[in-house]
Amino acid sequence: MNILLLGSGGREHALARALRYSKTCSRLLIAPGNAGTTEYGENVDIQPTDFEAIKTLCITQFIEMIVVGPEEPLVKGIYDFVVNDPELEKITVVGPSAGAAQLEGSKSFSKKFMQRYQVPTAGFAEFNEGNFEHGKNHIHAQKLPIVLKADGLAAGKGVIICDSYEEATKAFEEMVINKQFGEASEKVVVEEFLQGIELSVFVVTNGSQYKIIGHAKDYKRIGEGDTGLNTGGMGCVTPVPFANDEFMQKVEERVIKPTIRGLQEEQLAYNGFIFFGLMNVNGDPYVIEYNCRLGDPETEVILPRLKTDLLEILTAMRLGRLDDVVIEYDERAVATVVAVSEGYPGKYEKGRTINGLPADTNQQQDTIIFHAGTKTEGDTVVTNGGRVLAVTSFGTDISEAVKKSKAVLDTIHFEGMTYRKDIGYEFE
Ligand code: AMP
Ligand code: GLY
């Protein structure tokens, strides 16, 4: 099968590796990819939201499947673009329709969807400029801390957790009146704070059948001990001890099945990954958010752990045969540690030379170096983003896996490189 993979991060490097290793992958193109993805396929200089350029590429290169990494092309309707075009309609798009991608694209949509299908989630109310004063009164009537969420996509920055009413009111005004995130914050969801441990659970679905393909714990804060600003993710571990059979059973019954039922009842076309961002509150799962794609850096641990051929799963998804697929996992623990540019998640420099990278990122004993924000300049690999590398290792347990990744990271260098040394700290 000829496959086009969209995206350029560590998630896409991990997807490229899994697809390349699939028995039925004959050709893999990555648009635009990064310095690491060329190891598994051909990079093409096209942006994931340039649908017309993607169309031409698909026709000239006989593409049969498009695997979409990031959310933006999904929310902008790449699925609908392909299925509604007679020249493209035979291509399988791995991702939801724009309607279903609202589960990620609009917090208001996803909260109401969860309410309709009784998926456990934090209590909420939504406000805009029209009922701004009412919103302020509502905030003052809530318990602290209070969670404010911009309705639309805000590059991971649209969630603010406030410890005081002053902070909450100010943030609320910034979003709704001063349009801090533009259109995305015209509407704001005010949400109850959930105390617990987060877990990301991943499913492949065709809208009626589903298979869980893994789970992971992500470390979102920039600083050790879970301090400082939120990032896209600084590291991940899997499997997570509390995600045992009992907990995962609750996740399936209370979260996954009602969500799939909702997709069916509302006729939301979905052929792809669902990322359930959960909070474990005293042993019970609550949905913090849905994402309509795989996570980054979660993908860098769940795909290496997944022993079942990824393309076999995606083909079964398309053919309505997901129920026949047996999902198998590597028995070892897997961890990834992300090396970031100084300044991230704020401003940072790009273009710094990365030294110490092995030519073949996959030949290290038990370790895979995934590129996240990198590009090639002549013969050198340079930084090209805030998150630069995600170093994944296998171990007999989480702490051994983390230790191996850190040992490899200590042999790699770029100016301003930092990484969290405490990934997996709860599981030592
Ligand atoms: P999101 O963009 O929805 O993933 O939110 C970003 C982060 O904010 C989540 O990963 C959580 O750490 C935190 N968060 C979001 N909603 C809540 C909530 N209701 N209670 C506690 N933490 C939350
Ligand atoms: N690591 C969280 C995300 O991909 O949204």
Side-chain angles (χ1 to χ4, degrees):
M1 192 184 300
N2 293 336
I3 303 173
L4 171 62
L5 168 64
L6 301 181
S8 60
R11 168 181 51 213
E12 285 73 25
H13 194 181
L15 274 164
R17 176 177 180 270
L19 292 167
R20 183 76 264 173
Y21 287 174
S22 288
K23 285 196 281 294
T24 49
C25 176
S26 31
R27 189 156 174 237
L28 178 63
L29 304 182
I30 308 110
N34 61 37
T37 54
T38 50
E39 205 175 339
Y40 302 115
E42 302 151 58
N43 285 358
V44 189
D45 191 14
I46 290 176
Q47 289 307 309
T49 49
D50 187 348
F51 294 176
E52 287 301 335
I54 289 170
K55 173 176 173 174
T56 307
L57 186 74
C58 285
I59 294 171
T60 56
Q61 304 302 312
F62 308 102
I63 295 298
E64 297 161 272
M65 179 183 275
I66 304 175
V67 179
V68 187
E71 62 278 15
E72 206 187 344
L74 293 166
V75 173
K76 290 192 168 152
I78 186 143
Y79 176 94
D80 313 77
F81 177 83
V82 171
V83 299
N84 293 322
D85 187 322
E87 288 182 276
L88 303 176
E89 63 185 1
K90 289 211 175 67
I91 298 175
T92 303
V93 179
V94 179
S97 59
Q102 288 300 296
L103 286 178
E104 172 162 3
S106 165
K107 301 279 186 204
S108 159
F109 177 90
S110 73
K111 293 298 285 191
K112 289 186 211 149
F113 179 93
M114 287 186 249
Q115 207 170 37
R116 282 197 290 283
Y117 298 97
Q118 283 108 44
V119 176
T121 189
F124 74 103
E126 62 172 69
F127 302 97
N128 56 28
E129 207 168 348
N131 58 359
F132 179 72
E133 288 304 318
H134 177 43
K136 281 206 295 196
N137 293 336
H138 174 86
I139 286 172
H140 279 88
Q142 305 308 304
K143 276 205 293 226
L144 292 171
I146 302 169
V147 184
L148 300 187
K149 296 186 172 181
D151 176 51
L153 293 182
K157 300 199 173 107
V159 175
I160 305 178
I161 297 173
C162 307
D163 291 315
S164 74
Y165 294 112
E166 293 69 37
E167 190 190 347
T169 318
K170 204 162 149 256
F172 184 55
E173 184 166 342
E174 269 305 305
M175 286 200 203
V176 177
I177 305 295
N178 299 333
K179 313 269 186 291
Q180 183 184 5
F181 301 108
E183 219 178 289
S185 66
E186 277 175 5
K187 215 188 280 177
V188 166
V189 168
V190 178
E191 196 174 283
E192 171 198 5
F193 179 80
L194 295 175
Q195 188 73 52
I197 312 173
E198 282 180 64
L199 183 75
S200 309
V201 173
F202 298 90
V203 155
V204 171
T205 186
N206 48 25
S208 56
Q209 303 163 308
Y210 73 87
K211 275 280 146 102
I212 297 176
I213 57 161
H215 71 261
K217 180 170 190 301
D218 182 16
Y219 293 79
K220 284 219 168 82
R221 302 292 196 96
I222 186 72
E224 276 159 31
D226 294 327
T227 53
L229 294 174
N230 251 330
T231 69
M234 297 292 291
C236 268
V237 300
T238 189
V240 176
F242 74 73
N244 53 21
D245 288 347
E246 187 192 349
F247 184 78
M248 292 308 287
Q249 193 69 34
K250 290 182 189 171
V251 172
E252 289 205 57
E253 295 305 323
R254 299 180 192 174
V255 173
I256 301 175
K257 287 182 184 169
T259 299
I260 304 288
R261 186 164 60 78
L263 293 175
Q264 278 181 307
E265 287 195 11
E266 304 196 6
Q267 295 180 357
L268 293 167
Y270 210 118
N271 255 306
F273 303 106
I274 311 182
F275 166 166
F276 296 89
L278 305 178
M279 189 73 89
N280 172 356
V281 183
N282 299 320
D284 290 320
Y286 284 76
V287 176
I288 295 269
E289 63 167 349
Y290 291 114
N291 294 307
C292 57
R293 53 174 171 85
L294 290 177
D296 195 352
E298 286 93 335
T299 309
E300 291 96 299
V301 295
I302 64 156
L303 292 186
R305 181 170 172 245
L306 185 67
K307 278 170 65 180
T308 312
D309 185 314
L310 180 63
L311 207 41
E312 182 192 321
I313 303 172
L314 298 178
T315 303
M317 170 197 81
R318 179 170 56 90
L319 299 175
R321 294 200 192 127
L322 266 180
D323 288 345
D324 302 337
V325 175
V326 178
I327 300 292
E328 287 183 294
Y329 299 110
D330 194 300
E331 276 164 18
R332 293 170 292 175
V334 191
T336 197
V337 181
V338 178
V340 302
S341 302
E342 187 176 9
Y344 175 79
K347 274 171 74 170
Y348 54 84
E349 299 280 328
K350 291 183 184 176
R352 299 203 156 147
T353 302
I354 307 173
N355 294 308
L357 274 180
D360 185 341
T361 57
N362 205 24
Q363 288 303 308
Q364 305 264 329
Q365 185 88 34
D366 290 343
T367 297
I368 314 158
I369 301 168
F370 290 117
H371 289 226
T374 69
K375 68 173 186 181
T376 311
E377 268 178 10
D379 285 340
T380 39
V381 177
V382 300
T383 65
N384 192 38
R387 293 189 292 174
V388 177
L389 301 168
V391 177
T392 294
S393 300
F394 294 89
T396 49
D397 56 25
I398 287 172
S399 62
E400 194 196 57
V402 172
K403 212 182 276 171
K404 285 186 194 167
S405 284
K406 289 196 289 191
V408 170
L409 275 167
D410 287 339
T411 66
I412 298 173
H413 177 76
F414 55 88
E415 199 189 330
M417 167 174 148
T418 57
Y419 65 88
R420 268 182 70 169
K421 316 266 184 311
D422 68 341
I423 300 302
Y425 66 87
E426 312 95 313
F427 308 117
E428 275 177 7

